Amino acid sequence: MFRMSTPAPRRSLKRFLAFVRPYRGLLAGAIAFGVVRYLVPLALPWSVKIVVDDLLPRSGARAHASLHLLMGGLCALYGVYAVASYWRSYLSGRAGHRVIFDLRQALYRHVQRMSLSFFDRQKIGAVVSRMTTDIASAQNFVGAAFVATAMDLALLAVIVVLLCAMNVTLALVSLSVLPFYAAISYHLQKGIRAKSRTIHHQLQEISGELHEQFAGIATIQAFTQEASEARQFRAQSEAYFDTVMGSVRLQSIALGSTGFLTALGPILVLWFGVTEVWSGRLTVGTLMAFYGYLGMLYQPIQRLTELNLILANSLAAMDRIFEVFDTVPEVRERPGAIALGRARGALRFEDVTFQYTGREPVLERVNLTIPAGTTAALVGPSGAGKSTLVRLLPRYYDVTGGRITLDGVDIRDLTLASLRDQVALVSQEPILFSGTIEENLRYGKPDASDAELRAAARAAFAEPFIEQLPQGYQTEIGERGVRLSGGQKQRLAIARAFLKDAPILLLDEPTSALDAESEDLVKEALNRLLEGRTALIIAHRLSTIEHADIVIVLDGGQIVEQGRHEELLKERGGLYRRYAEHQLASLLTDT
Ligand code: ATP
């Protein structure tokens, strides 16, 4: 979970309101139209009273005229009602969705800037859920809190005044139920609120878990762990089901008890009202109007108690959203950071130490010089820290001791954008996004011309296969599109790096065998890409290692040997020699 302590709800609310502020004009409009919309129906019971008490007993021409006037007026009033309804709903919807739009953009920008260490700690599903479900639930706040509450309170006040104006005793009788209604609602809502928090939390866990499981489905199948994973999923789902049912039970109790109290008011009014009519203190028309208003009284009260729940959910969602905002990226730009032009590419690691948060050091006192334009091959056993070392260069993580310099400048003194502009990355499993081939290539240089795009594809030996695809550069790849082979993906990633034309290349060589032809093409493309650049390669192939200007042997987070391939081979008893003999034996015979 997020490491932040939960901020006080009121603080989250204040911060949320800052997002609402730009749209206060829209909200004020929505409230104004809302008040009109809610007050218009109040004319109906009063008209019933006039009709029953004044018009029905008389039936002359004047009564006819009054009736037509009254009904015509009511029709006109409901015309206003229709227009006000439209504007209320439109303006409040627009304000709510605008707020959410801004909030989601801000959150997205924030999460995108987070260091990789944030994503190490978070389940991606939980982050996604904050950006979708939580934000949507915070949105309810705008409509519910601002627009509905203002209208409901106005409506309640007017109805209570009308009831008292008609008959104070009867008004008191009908309102006597309200304190019970409010007390029961309050207690039940409190229970429901607690449950809804647990429900949300459990759902987030489930979604994170599912995300992880389906992303790793191949491993689950390979280890035939389906049954055990399914059992775990079932246990999680059962716990979730139990909490949901607890909440359903409370909601059902709420429905039953408030339903009973809602009916009790009108019964009391009829009961007491008829005796008042019999004794001549109340007219029949007033009793009917009373009855009509009473029906209207319970609606806003019910909405106000539901509001309690909506607000509780929204506030909890706001807390979760602002928790993310409060997590600061660990890798940050220093004030006054330098924007570097094109670097020459001279790299130095000076006494570099690194540990992942809460872990043992992974790299210890690493000293390394890679002159501009040279190729360094990193070799070493699994877990030696090769990938970690490479990740420090674009500052995915910051060193915990020592420093890394680029052309003599500490990379932490450079702006993040200008540092990352110097680096092109080709990973073992190239990451391609859903979209067309062209879109994927343009990732390297968004404003590249078509000619540049083609030149890069050609240099990476990718053009021939792209042209054979049904829509050439416009072919969709990824989840919804064409599936590419490992070698083809590699060549696209290399083309992307060509297009980026960065002075430094970070490369994690694929370990899995590509078919022979693909392998040759990838090798050839890489050799071209390496020309004139500084390269740091996590090398798995002997041919790469042989051609490297310097081979760095990493073991247990330390550089144990470095030099050219031939020199290292001569080191009797050296790790590299043993490594080459054992690890590369098969490759040596292949090549
Ligand atoms: P391989 O060749 O198997 O990829 P490597 O030499 O690249 O290994 P690294 O991936 O750098 O090794 O890992 C070095 C150590 O750091 C390992 O012990 C690993 O468990 C740990 N490690 C790697 N990534 C993380 C992470 N994100 N959070 C915590 N520990 C990590």
Side-chain angles (χ1 to χ4, degrees):
M1 280 279 97
F2 293 82
R3 288 186 310 157
M4 294 300 306
S5 58
T6 311
R10 248 181 272 135
R11 248 191 76 218
S12 304
L13 180 60
K14 213 170 134 197
R15 295 167 73 180
F16 181 75
L17 290 183
F19 281 90
V20 177
R21 200 158 299 129
Y23 304 106
R24 55 186 185 273
L26 287 180
L27 284 173
I31 292 173
F33 282 111
V35 169
V36 174
R37 180 196 183 273
Y38 274 57
L39 293 188
V40 165
L42 295 182
L44 204 54
W46 200 267
S47 306
V48 170
K49 172 180 154 56
I50 296 173
V51 168
V52 174
D53 287 349
D54 301 339
L55 302 185
L56 277 182
R58 302 181 281 130
S59 59
R62 282 194 52 200
H64 269 91
S66 302
L67 179 69
H68 297 325
L69 192 66
L70 187 63
M71 293 305 133
L74 275 181
C75 288
L77 219 49
Y78 271 92
V80 172
Y81 171 90
V83 175
S85 297
Y86 167 81
W87 282 108
R88 182 201 78 92
S89 149
Y90 177 79
L91 293 179
S92 89
R94 190 173 169 86
H97 287 292
R98 287 301 316 183
V99 170
I100 288 328
F101 180 89
D102 293 352
L103 193 58
R104 190 171 284 142
Q105 293 301 315
L107 194 62
Y108 175 80
R109 279 196 301 272
H110 183 79
V111 171
Q112 211 184 30
R113 278 202 344 263
M114 294 311 292
S115 321
L116 285 198
S117 50
F118 170 82
F119 294 98
D120 288 342
R121 289 195 304 269
Q122 299 301 321
K123 285 186 177 165
I124 299 291
V127 179
V128 170
S129 145
R130 283 176 200 224
M131 298 199 52
T132 51
T133 329
D134 281 340
I135 286 196
S137 127
Q139 181 199 355
N140 291 335
F141 183 84
V142 180
F146 286 95
V147 186
T149 314
M151 289 179 316
D152 284 334
L153 289 176
L155 184 61
L156 271 183
V158 176
I159 294 180
V160 170
V161 169
L162 281 175
L163 291 184
C164 290
M166 286 190 292
N167 184 312
V168 177
T169 335
L170 194 54
L172 290 179
V173 168
S174 57
L175 298 178
S176 65
V177 181
L178 294 189
F180 298 102
Y181 190 94
I184 290 187
S185 290
Y186 177 77
H187 282 292
L188 288 173
Q189 302 295 359
K190 229 166 79 172
I192 294 173
R193 179 172 154 176
K195 290 263 185 268
S196 92
R197 267 204 212 109
T198 321
I199 288 174
H200 197 95
H201 183 72
Q202 285 175 327
L203 204 58
Q204 212 171 53
E205 288 285 301
I206 291 180
S207 112
E209 181 75 29
L210 282 180
H211 201 280
E212 220 168 70
Q213 279 200 17
F214 290 143
I217 190 78
T219 315
I220 294 178
Q221 289 178 352
F223 288 92
T224 55
Q225 287 301 306
E226 291 93 335
S228 105
E229 294 292 347
R231 260 197 309 279
Q232 195 186 333
F233 181 63
R234 193 184 164 88
Q236 262 185 332
S237 302
E238 272 168 0
Y240 174 72
F241 175 81
D242 289 343
T243 329
V244 170
M245 281 320 292
S247 167
V248 166
R249 202 172 58 86
L250 284 181
Q251 285 180 17
S252 310
I253 295 176
L255 269 183
S257 51
T258 54
F260 172 70
L261 290 173
T262 317
L264 204 58
I267 293 174
L268 289 179
V269 165
L270 269 186
W271 199 340
F272 184 72
V274 171
T275 62
E276 289 282 282
V277 173
W278 280 338
S279 61
R281 282 190 292 270
L282 198 69
T283 63
V284 176
T286 312
L287 180 60
M288 289 178 76
F290 224 99
Y291 198 83
Y293 284 129
L294 205 59
M296 293 180 178
L297 188 65
Y298 282 89
Q299 274 171 10
I301 291 186
Q302 191 134 27
R303 267 198 302 267
L304 285 173
T305 57
E306 279 166 14
L307 176 79
N308 202 3
L309 182 65
I310 295 177
L311 291 193
N313 280 339
S314 307
L315 284 177
M318 280 177 211
D319 282 351
R320 285 190 296 267
I321 293 168
F322 287 107
E323 245 173 60
V324 183
F325 274 120
D326 284 340
T327 329
V328 285
E330 279 161 22
V331 172
R332 265 168 297 175
E333 221 168 73
R334 279 186 183 160
I338 309 160
L340 187 68
R342 189 180 173 86
R344 284 188 308 113
L347 292 171
R348 268 176 80 90
F349 285 65
E350 298 174 11
D351 264 343
V352 167
T353 304
F354 176 76
Q355 61 195 90
Y356 290 99
T357 321
R359 300 288 198 93
E360 295 290 300
V362 175
L363 296 174
E364 279 179 281
R365 306 186 75 84
V366 169
N367 284 292
L368 177 63
T369 305
I370 308 173
T374 55
T375 300
L378 269 176
V379 294
S382 175
K386 305 182 292 291
S387 313
T388 306
L389 192 133
V390 166
R391 281 184 210 135
L392 295 179
L393 262 178
R395 290 190 68 199
Y396 291 147
Y397 299 88
D398 267 343
V399 295
T400 38
R403 64 176 201 152
I404 302 174
T405 63
L406 168 60
D407 292 350
V409 184
D410 189 326
I411 55 172
R412 286 168 299 185
D413 289 334
L414 303 175
T415 61
L416 276 175
S418 76
L419 169 66
R420 289 174 184 170
D421 274 349
Q422 314 295 330
V423 179
L425 200 77
V426 180
S427 52
Q428 214 179 80
E429 276 283 322
I431 308 285
L432 300 174
F433 295 106
S434 296
T436 63
I437 295 218
E438 180 177 332
E439 282 163 359
N440 268 286
L441 290 182
R442 276 190 195 280
Y443 232 79
K445 187 179 178 190
D447 57 355
S449 68
D450 281 352
E452 284 177 302
L453 204 75
R454 282 170 193 279
R458 219 170 299 131
F461 298 103
E463 191 162 71
F465 88 80
I466 295 176
E467 283 180 343
Q468 276 172 15
L469 290 170
Q471 275 104 33
Y473 284 84
Q474 300 309 324
T475 309
E476 285 275 337
I477 53 175
E479 277 178 18
R480 279 169 292 123
V482 175
R483 298 199 74 83
L484 299 175
S485 75
Q488 289 169 335
K489 284 191 205 161
Q490 278 291 341
R491 278 177 279 161
L492 282 188
I494 294 170
R496 193 158 64 180
F498 264 117
L499 209 54
K500 180 160 182 184
D501 192 25
I504 300 170
L505 180 71
L506 303 180
L507 174 72
D508 195 353
E509 259 189 343
T511 38
S512 54
L514 302 173
D515 61 78
E517 192 200 332
S518 249
E519 168 126 17
D520 285 344
L521 290 177
V522 167
K523 217 185 297 178
E524 191 59 29
L526 278 176
N527 286 340
R528 283 190 187 180
L529 185 61
L530 290 176
E531 274 167 32
R533 295 178 218 273
T534 310
L536 191 55
I537 305 180
I538 299 178
H540 302 287
R541 292 203 177 78
L542 189 64
S543 58
T544 314
I545 300 169
E546 277 175 339
H547 288 113
D549 299 301
I550 170 174
V551 178
I552 298 146
V553 187
L554 209 60
D555 190 22
Q558 286 176 323
I559 296 182
V560 288
E561 287 169 37
Q562 58 176 307
R564 284 194 66 91
H565 164 73
E566 309 83 48
E567 295 164 9
L568 295 181
L569 269 188
K570 287 187 203 130
E571 293 276 329
R572 296 214 149 264
L575 180 72
Y576 183 73
R577 190 186 159 103
R578 274 187 286 133
Y579 182 72
E581 280 166 1
H582 295 290
Q583 297 282 335
L584 304 177
S586 57
L587 289 170
L588 280 167
T589 50
D590 285 352
T591 40

